[in-house]
Amino acid sequence: MNAITTETVTTADTGEVITDAPVLRDYHADGGYEWMDRIAEHGWAVIPSWGSEGWDLGQWPYVMVAAIRTADSIGNLFGVATYCEGDVETTYYRTKARQWDAITEQAFFHWKNGQAHGPADLPEAAAELPSRYRMPYTVHAA
């Protein structure tokens, strides 16, 4: 069972048809950690933390969010894949901003529903999240 294929996709933000995009698919052969290893071989990375304080993004190994930056002849492409106990959905965007929005929506969903440790002061909707919750976590060296 392959975790990755090459397919034609339509970008979620611009509606462009992209051929030969690396797409992650359902993966029920092994567990989440094995899926993570397999997709890494193809340029995808599972994101462990999100937001300024590095709150959990998902609930490993059962729920994970992965991302990729690739390109076609027009320019950059930004992919997001969600893994939930082997069920996988992949979406592409033309801009990094839309990719970050999609990842933020996933983080918010899991934080709000108590499926991942997140900020205590969550608003009612993902669109209302302050900017410090809408970005990748980066480790700052001391």
Side-chain angles (χ1 to χ4, degrees):
M1 183 176 285
N2 270 341
I4 188 163
T5 65
T6 301
E7 297 181 13
T8 298
V9 299
T10 302
T11 56
D13 54 348
T14 61
E16 297 170 69
V17 175
I18 309 298
T19 58
D20 299 326
V23 175
L24 302 184
R25 287 289 168 224
D26 290 353
Y27 185 74
H28 298 282
D30 296 311
Y33 291 123
E34 291 79 12
W35 178 79
M36 184 186 325
D37 289 342
R38 288 183 187 270
I39 68 169
E41 296 170 6
H42 299 277
W44 288 85
V46 174
I47 306 166
S49 307
W50 194 251
S52 62
E53 301 301 314
W55 294 285
D56 293 344
L57 181 55
Q59 188 177 43
W60 290 20
Y62 308 107
V63 177
M64 295 180 274
V65 178
I68 191 171
R69 177 181 172 190
T70 187
D72 65 0
S73 62
I74 297 172
N76 288 325
L77 289 166
F78 301 89
V80 175
T82 57
Y83 172 100
C84 183
E85 296 186 0
D87 296 334
V88 180
E89 183 177 323
T90 303
T91 309
Y92 271 93
Y93 304 91
R94 187 53 82 178
T95 67
K96 181 170 58 175
R98 279 297 299 131
Q99 181 192 45
W100 286 14
D101 287 345
I103 296 168
T104 297
E105 289 167 11
Q106 286 295 313
F108 177 81
F109 175 82
H110 296 293
W111 296 338
K112 193 73 169 174
N113 291 298
Q115 298 169 343
H117 175 72
D121 60 342
L122 289 173
E124 289 302 310
E128 300 168 3
L129 283 169
S131 61
R132 68 184 180 277
Y133 299 164
R134 307 178 67 78
M135 66 175 97
Y137 174 68
T138 55
V139 178
H140 301 284

